[in-house]
Amino acid sequence: MAALSESEHRRHTIGAEEDVGALRRAVARLAAGQHALREGVAELVATELGTNLIRHALPGGYVLARKTGDGIELISVDHGPGMTAAALGPPAGSVSSTVPPPYRGGGLGAGLNVVRRNAVEFDRYSTRRGTVVYARLGSSPEPGAPTGWRFGGINVPLGGDGESGDAWAVTPGRPTAALVVDGLGHGPGAAAAARAAITSFEHSPVTDLDRLLRHTHEAMRGTRGGVLGACLIDPARREFAYAAVGNITGRVVTGTRSVHLLDRPGTLGTHLPVPSLRLQHGPWEPGSALVLVSDGIRSGWNLEDHPRLLDHHPSLIAAVLHREYGRPTDDATVLVVRQVTHMA
């Protein structure tokens, strides 16, 4: 099956009513030409997500937007506690909440119902840390996702706009291959390096990680180079293999067990020989999840502080991790690949 990669997100900060209008206009431009979208639907959903952040989230939040397949993806993110309190109610065992009451002009549920009705995929995750709302508009099912696999990611460039030096791609199937690459530095030069790696990944079947990294090393020559982490999952044999050059980190999670994926110093695409590789092997069980992150995510990231997060859509999982652990001084990427034993 062909490799699937996605463009970077645009981050739209929402702190005042005029920000909602700016978001609506930006989403209208993004949706133009996406043939699976009904006219006006993307603008309506963007307006509802932005308005909910103004009414309920203190002090506001942001919306991540990108094209995906023949539609678009919108993810509303806040740090709480306002929208979370509106969604969850008072803390368990309490008589009243210290959170200010929701804005009286409308309810959180009404706005999200509009989003839910117009989305082909919808998900929400609320804790006292904040709320993340995921909506994909367009065709159904998710483009390119075979039965039994779900994947998604967050890729936010430095400053929330412009070209990202990070990229990710997945080839779902038997085996399933996943890759995160980080071009050195920021901006167009880093983005060109990352694109060279993704193009090499997309044009060659991935059955051997040593060959993958050597091909990628050659493909990135002539660019400024970068770092890369790649995982090969064989569900039939119930095992995975992982290799990294540079500081791409990750974990394979099954239930309460988490296997840390190890990186190795080095850079691909430079004049130096390809770094020596050290493959890491481990068990892969049905229902497992792979999480890969670039160094735009702080090294102390974890899933344990976010109850039942892995039950949610991969892009939502990625958005929560990015919100909690993203560095504001770098491009940041989180990729999540799940093998699901039943589809929601």
Side-chain angles (χ1 to χ4, degrees):
M1 187 171 188
L4 300 165
S5 58
E6 297 284 358
S7 61
E8 57 266 88
H9 288 86
R10 295 290 175 263
R11 174 174 170 153
H12 302 273
T13 300
I14 307 295
E17 292 289 347
E18 54 265 31
D19 296 329
V20 179
L23 170 66
R24 180 175 60 251
R25 293 187 292 274
V27 168
R29 293 190 295 270
L30 194 65
Q34 296 294 86
H35 62 83
L37 296 175
R38 302 194 310 276
E39 185 175 358
V41 167
E43 296 94 311
L44 172 64
V45 170
T47 300
E48 292 295 337
L49 290 174
T51 300
N52 272 330
L53 288 173
I54 293 296
R55 290 176 172 175
H56 303 291
L58 303 174
Y62 57 90
V63 174
L64 300 173
R66 72 172 177 193
K67 293 183 180 181
T68 176
D70 53 9
I72 65 171
E73 177 182 85
L74 297 171
I75 306 174
S76 166
V77 182
D78 79 84
H79 287 274
M83 188 183 291
T84 305
L88 299 180
S94 67
V95 177
S96 61
S97 173
T98 59
V99 177
Y103 176 79
R104 299 301 181 186
L108 174 64
L112 291 189
N113 281 337
V114 172
V115 176
R116 183 185 289 108
R117 286 197 302 269
N118 286 282
V120 295
E121 282 193 298
F122 175 89
D123 200 0
R124 183 180 75 185
Y125 182 75
S126 288
T127 69
R128 296 300 168 186
R129 292 174 178 265
T131 296
V132 176
V133 178
Y134 170 83
R136 187 172 63 82
L137 315 177
S139 62
S140 185
E142 187 173 1
T147 301
W149 292 97
R150 303 190 79 188
F151 54 88
I154 296 295
N155 179 4
V156 181
L158 174 67
D161 202 359
E163 291 187 275
S164 174
D166 290 357
W168 63 265
V170 175
T171 304
R174 299 180 180 178
T176 287
L179 171 150
V180 168
V181 58
D182 181 357
L184 297 181
H186 311 290
R195 282 195 300 271
I198 295 297
T199 300
S200 176
F201 181 82
E202 291 174 334
H203 286 82
S204 300
V206 181
T207 57
D208 181 275
L209 291 181
D210 183 78
R211 174 187 285 183
L212 168 66
L213 267 66
R214 292 180 184 282
H215 283 182
T216 304
H217 181 69
E218 293 302 320
M220 295 178 78
R221 288 186 181 275
T223 74
R224 62 176 58 174
V227 299
L228 177 148
C231 190
L232 196 60
I233 303 166
D234 189 336
R237 300 178 64 178
R238 294 197 171 194
E239 65 180 21
F240 73 86
Y242 180 73
V245 174
N247 50 353
I248 302 297
T249 60
R251 290 170 202 172
V252 170
V253 183
T254 303
T256 58
R257 186 177 66 187
S258 179
V259 177
H260 287 247
L261 303 179
L262 306 177
D263 59 355
R264 186 173 177 83
T267 305
L268 294 176
T270 66
H271 66 281
L272 299 173
V274 62
S276 60
L277 303 181
R278 181 180 299 163
L279 295 183
Q280 179 180 355
H281 297 271
W284 179 274
E285 301 175 15
S288 295
L290 166 71
V291 183
L292 294 179
V293 307
S294 70
D295 69 347
I297 303 299
R298 297 195 305 273
S299 59
W301 67 272
N302 70 80
L303 294 161
E304 291 76 15
D305 292 340
H306 311 284
R308 302 188 66 84
L309 179 60
L310 282 177
D311 294 342
H312 290 267
H313 190 282
S315 292
L316 187 150
I317 298 169
V320 170
L321 294 177
H322 175 264
R323 178 192 67 187
E324 294 295 319
Y325 308 107
R327 300 180 191 271
T329 56
D330 201 356
D331 306 321
T333 292
V334 182
L335 171 63
V336 179
V337 180
R338 290 179 56 207
Q339 184 186 14
V340 294
T341 53
H342 66 278
M343 301 301 289

